[in-house]
Amino acid sequence: MALQQITDRVHVETQHLGSNNGIVDGGHGELLLVDAPHRPTDAQRWATTVAGFGTPRFLVNTDHHPDHTIGNRWLPGTVVSHELTRSRLVDDAPTREYLRDLFAVIDPAAVPLVDDYEVRLADVTFSDRLELFVGDVHATLHHTPGHTINTVMVQLADDGVLFTGDNVCNLGLPAFLDASVDRFFAAIDAAEALEFEHLVPGHGEPGGRELLARYRDWGREVVGRVADARDRGLTRDECAAQIRFEDLIHAGIGETPGYPDALIEYFQQRSIEQIFDDVEREPSLRDR
Ligand SMILES: [Zn+2]
């Protein structure tokens, strides 16, 4: 546990394996939660931590990935997400086999919970933008396709805080499985256009607006490496076999072990293939 207070009303836990988990304290005992823990045992503990602050009115999922949504099951509050986050969780819910194999590595005590695990879907969805009022807090949810086509960012204008979801991370780059190079940069531009002082990334330490430029540079670097390799005549398969970027998002955190090596390797290969395909289709993306 390493709960950080970002502003008077905003607290963020950065030491769960998986997404950063936010508590926005609206006063009057009312809370807004941003993203759910990945590990069930973290989610159960998180529910206790959260109860110490008040009662969650809403739990926002910034995307549909397991590291942002699995913990929904153990948290109270009305779940809110983009409409595609909900439909993608319906169409593509993690299978019990997948969860069993994953938990065996990242959360062995949770393996018995898989048998009656059900995805807890959003109760409320939106398409473009949604305003939430929780106690004295006003949150604006912006649909900003980037890391996924359904990623939402949560802006607390009065508090100067922006939760970017995985559109911005501060632990290296996330997987590009659901991203495109073009959307990756467009989402950073979208964050840049919003007013805020404190940035809470999907993963890694919170910071300020400087995180945007740094994240853009990381993206440019890996896209440039793929484009250079392609220019030198490497095939898509050769690029996917040879080019790697640092993945700290799925690596262990504290005492918690990270993802299985085979899964991390799969994310890397698929990410490089996605970048290769995008650069092949649109060579100018390397100068984005
Ligand atoms: Zn994530």
Side-chain angles (χ1 to χ4, degrees), residues 18-20 35 62-63 65-68 147 165-166 169 174 202-203 249-250:
S19 57
N20 283 338
D35 280 328
T62 59
D63 69 45
H65 288 153
D67 56 328
H68 298 249
H147 173 65
D166 288 5
C169 293
H203 300 256
I249 288 175
H250 302 100

Side-chain angles (χ1 to χ4, degrees), residues 250-285:
H250 302 100
I253 196 160
E255 309 256 287
T256 309
Y259 267 47
D261 291 344
L263 207 49
I264 292 181
E265 180 61 15
Y266 169 78
F267 290 161
Q268 289 271 319
Q269 289 193 14
R270 287 286 304 110
S271 295
I272 299 301
E273 286 167 6
Q274 176 71 45
I275 294 168
F276 186 97
D277 291 345
D278 287 347
V279 170
E280 185 161 68
R281 196 164 37 239
E282 183 62 64
S284 67
L285 282 171

Side-chain angles (χ1 to χ4, degrees), residues 16 43 45 62 154 165 172 180 195 201 214 229 234 238 271 276 278-279:
H16 288 154
R45 270 191 299 272
T62 59
V154 181
S180 73
E195 267 190 40
R214 194 193 324 167
L234 267 69
E238 286 166 342
S271 295
F276 186 97
D278 287 347
V279 170

Side-chain angles (χ1 to χ4, degrees), residues 208-244:
R209 301 186 68 93
E210 75 286 352
L211 295 188
L212 297 176
R214 194 193 324 167
Y215 194 62
R216 192 181 273 117
D217 285 346
W218 289 345
R220 280 180 179 152
E221 206 259 329
V222 68
V223 170
R225 277 162 58 204
V226 174
D228 287 347
R230 192 178 155 270
D231 288 349
R232 289 199 312 272
L234 267 69
T235 65
R236 181 181 192 262
D237 286 350
E238 286 166 342
C239 286
Q242 292 173 27
I243 299 174
R244 291 291 171 270

Side-chain angles (χ1 to χ4, degrees), residues 31-246:
L31 310 178
L32 167 71
L33 304 182
V34 181
D35 280 328
H38 189 7
R39 299 168 75 235
T41 58
D42 282 341
Q44 290 169 330
R45 270 191 299 272
W46 186 237
T48 307
T49 302
V50 164
F53 283 83
T55 305
R57 293 266 318 278
F58 301 109
L59 163 58
V60 177
N61 291 140
T62 59
D63 69 45
H64 64 291
H65 288 153
D67 56 328
H68 298 249
T69 55
I70 282 184
N72 285 6
R73 177 151 177 84
W74 294 278
L75 291 168
T78 299
V79 178
V80 181
S81 77
H82 189 263
E83 58 195 8
L84 291 172
T85 294
R86 191 182 196 286
S87 58
R88 295 184 79 175
L89 270 177
V90 171
D91 295 344
D92 209 6
T95 64
R96 288 192 206 287
E97 291 89 320
Y98 173 88
L99 292 176
R100 224 172 261 126
D101 290 350
L102 184 61
F103 292 166
V105 177
I106 66 169
D107 198 4
V111 171
L113 301 176
V114 171
D115 289 336
D116 56 12
Y117 177 80
E118 299 290 342
V119 179
R120 187 153 94 87
L121 299 166
D123 308 293
V124 175
T125 67
F126 69 102
S127 55
D128 183 34
R129 177 180 163 138
L130 182 70
E131 311 290 339
L132 293 177
F133 298 88
V134 180
D136 299 326
V137 163
H138 172 197
T140 304
L141 278 50
H142 301 272
H143 176 216
T144 43
H147 173 65
T148 69
I149 53 170
N150 41 288
T151 296
V152 303
M153 302 200 293
V154 181
Q155 183 185 21
L156 310 175
D158 299 336
D159 302 73
V161 175
L162 182 68
F163 290 85
T164 60
D166 288 5
N167 280 347
V168 180
C169 293
N170 196 13
L171 276 178
L173 297 170
F176 276 70
L177 266 62
D178 279 322
S180 73
V181 171
D182 193 37
R183 281 201 308 271
F184 172 90
F185 291 112
I188 302 171
D189 295 344
E192 193 106 59
L194 296 174
E195 267 190 40
F196 67 91
E197 193 185 333
H198 307 279
L199 189 154
V200 182
H203 300 256
E205 288 300 304
R209 301 186 68 93
E210 75 286 352
L211 295 188
L212 297 176
R214 194 193 324 167
Y215 194 62
R216 192 181 273 117
D217 285 346
W218 289 345
R220 280 180 179 152
E221 206 259 329
V222 68
V223 170
R225 277 162 58 204
V226 174
D228 287 347
R230 192 178 155 270
D231 288 349
R232 289 199 312 272
L234 267 69
T235 65
R236 181 181 192 262
D237 286 350
E238 286 166 342
C239 286
Q242 292 173 27
I243 299 174
R244 291 291 171 270
F245 53 90
E246 189 171 41

